[in-house]
């Protein structure tokens, strides 16, 4: 049982005498764990930071074993350390992938978008709107995409102002009627219209967060979204202030 491909490092934790267990996200094998021998050493540990692009070779005797990785650095995204906001965004993205995706389940489109998003974060580009669109795609990938194309009540495409917190469908002002106080406000940034200011993105992420938390909850208990995502929203709020 073996394979080789590039992947994004999501997390690393020490294991045994100098080894590490890493969690990666790859195009063909999804979210995957494996042991890196010597990965926690003083020489290797700085190369195994969240967001790093790695050349990965995985091998195990049986497919359901955790297996062993040979991991070589391809690209460091350590430039995010120069921007607290970019670091918060990259950390949030890694944590959201960790809690959202089943192990070893490929999501090639999400992988491609994650690559682009993290490259933008590390490259100093304006990535805030990209992160919002990435969370919308993440919702699609876990089976609950929002439908913001037309009003769920009237069918009209104009004057869409709300989102149903139950169905994730858009509602117009006319269609909302007396139900408006019970609906979520629909920011234009969520529809890809107009400039995505940090304040608008934060408002839109409150909506994606509502549905992500609901869809990820188990039958017995809720699944809180990662604290790193909360820190990203707090930094966006400060950026607007």
């Amino acid at each position: 049982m073996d394979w080789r491909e590039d992947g994004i490092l999501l997390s690393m934790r020490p294991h045994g005498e100098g080894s590490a267990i890493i969690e990666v996200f790859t195009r063909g094998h999804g979210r995957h764990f494996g042991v890196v021998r010597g990965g926690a050493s003083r020489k290797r540990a700085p190369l195994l930071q969240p967001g790093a692009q790695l050349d990965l070779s995985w091998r195990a005797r049986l497919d359901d074993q955790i297996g062993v990785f040979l991991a070589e650095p391809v690209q460091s995204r350590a430039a995010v350390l120069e921007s607290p906001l970019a670091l918060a965004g990259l950390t949030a993205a890694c944590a959201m992938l960790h809690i959202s995706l089943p192990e070893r389940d490929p999501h090639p489109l999400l992988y491609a978008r994650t690559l682009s998003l993290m490259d933008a974060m590390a490259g100093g580009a304006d990535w805030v709107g990209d992160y919002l669109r990435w969370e919308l795609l993440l919702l699609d990938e876990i089976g609950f995409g929002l439908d913001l194309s037309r009003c769920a009540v009237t069918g009209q495409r104009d004057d869409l102002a709300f989102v149903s917190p139950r169905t994730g469908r858009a509602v117009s002002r006319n269609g909302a009627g007396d139900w408006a106080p019970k609906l979520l406000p629909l920011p234009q940034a969520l529809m890809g219209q107009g400039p995505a200011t940090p304040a608008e993105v934060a408002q839109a992420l409150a909506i994606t967060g509502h549905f992500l938390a609901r869809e990820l909850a188990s039958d017995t208990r809720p699944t809180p979204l990662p604290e790193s995502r909360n820190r990203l929203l707090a930094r966006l709020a400060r950026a607007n202030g």
Side-chain angles (χ1 to χ4, degrees), residues 178-198:
D178 294 338
W179 287 92
K182 298 183 179 181
L183 302 176
L184 303 172
L186 174 57
Q188 294 302 299
L190 198 61
M191 302 176 66
Q193 299 176 3
T197 66

Side-chain angles (χ1 to χ4, degrees), residues 153-224:
V153 179
T154 67
Q156 71 185 74
R157 296 180 180 273
D158 299 328
D159 200 24
L160 302 178
F162 304 99
V163 179
S164 166
R166 184 176 64 85
T167 66
R169 299 184 65 187
V171 181
S172 66
R173 295 183 197 279
N174 183 49
D178 294 338
W179 287 92
K182 298 183 179 181
L183 302 176
L184 303 172
L186 174 57
Q188 294 302 299
L190 198 61
M191 302 176 66
Q193 299 176 3
T197 66
E200 290 170 333
V201 170
Q203 186 182 20
L205 288 175
I207 294 176
T208 57
H210 166 82
F211 291 107
L212 283 164
R214 190 185 73 180
E215 292 305 301
L216 295 174
S218 68
D219 293 335
T220 57
R221 61 184 176 85
T223 299

Side-chain angles (χ1 to χ4, degrees), residues 8-10 25 86-101 110 114 117-118 121 127 131 134-135 138 226 228-229 232:
I8 301 166
L9 181 66
L10 302 182
F25 182 38
L87 178 60
L90 186 143
T91 305
C94 289
M96 289 304 300
L97 290 168
H98 168 74
I99 71 166
S100 301
L101 302 182
L110 182 62
T114 304
L117 175 64
M118 291 189 174
M121 291 171 171
W127 54 267
Y131 181 88
W134 180 85
E135 279 207 356
L138 183 60
S228 56
R229 186 182 185 275
L232 171 61

